[in-house]
Each structure stands twice: as structure tokens, then as C-alpha cells.
Amino acid sequence: MPEFPGGMPALMEFIWKNLRHDKAEKRERVIIQIVVDKKGNATNPVVLRSTNPTLNEEALRIVSLMPKWILGRQAGKNRNVQFAFPVAFKPSV
């Protein structure tokens, strides 16, 4: 499996620090799926589940900011691997 540098806690921290929470009116989350390619890039982002199109755009923007991931390997070879994760919105008001 591919891994965000620093693991899942680092991924959640990265999302939290870079997310524009003012886009949400209430607590909501968007489930995003990406493909971590053979070079470690997060590519082909797709919204798997959401209730708000505005939040979809923001969640996809976060993917474009991501650093390279630690590669997924199988049988000693780098592979393209799908990976899904939540993007949680929590408005400050």
C-alpha cells in the first residue's frame, strides 16, 4: 500500500492545515479516491461520496497540493495503487 509521508496522522494533519473550512456550513465530509502512481504522485482524484459540490472542489484542491507519497510495491516492483481517504470539514462558527 502507498503511504503519505509520516503516515495517516500526517495525512490528516496536512488536510486540516490546508483545508478552507469556511466552505462548509456544518460538519461534513467528502470521501476522495486517488491513484498513487509509480512515481509517488497523487493522480486521478475522484469524489466517491459527498453531499455538497462546493466541498468537492475544495477536497480535490487539497489533492493537488499533496507532496509525493511513499510508493506502493508488489513483488518488488512499484505499482499504481488506488487509495481512498476522508476529508472532514468543520466550520469555525
Side-chain angles (χ1 to χ4, degrees):
M1 284 297 286
E3 183 178 358
F4 189 82
M8 199 64 163
L11 173 60
M12 292 301 119
E13 182 178 341
F14 173 84
I15 291 170
W16 190 254
K17 285 183 177 180
N18 291 288
L19 200 61
R20 295 180 185 151
H21 294 277
D22 61 335
K23 305 272 185 189
E25 297 175 6
K26 60 183 180 178
R27 284 182 177 229
E28 294 185 69
R29 74 180 186 165
V30 176
I31 306 297
I32 296 288
Q33 177 179 285
I34 61 170
V35 173
V36 178
D37 69 14
K38 295 177 184 178
K39 295 180 180 179
N41 300 308
T43 63
N44 304 332
V46 175
V47 174
L48 294 181
R49 190 174 343 151
S50 174
T51 58
N52 186 330
T54 303
L55 300 183
N56 296 353
E57 291 175 21
E58 180 61 11
L60 293 172
R61 184 188 72 82
I62 292 296
V63 173
S64 71
L65 301 175
M66 289 184 170
K68 288 192 181 272
W69 286 55
I70 298 168
L71 305 175
R73 296 177 63 86
Q74 183 178 30
K77 294 184 179 183
N78 296 342
R79 303 283 185 197
N80 291 343
V81 181
Q82 289 183 341
F83 188 85
F85 56 90
V87 176
F89 290 85
K90 180 181 175 186
S92 58
V93 177

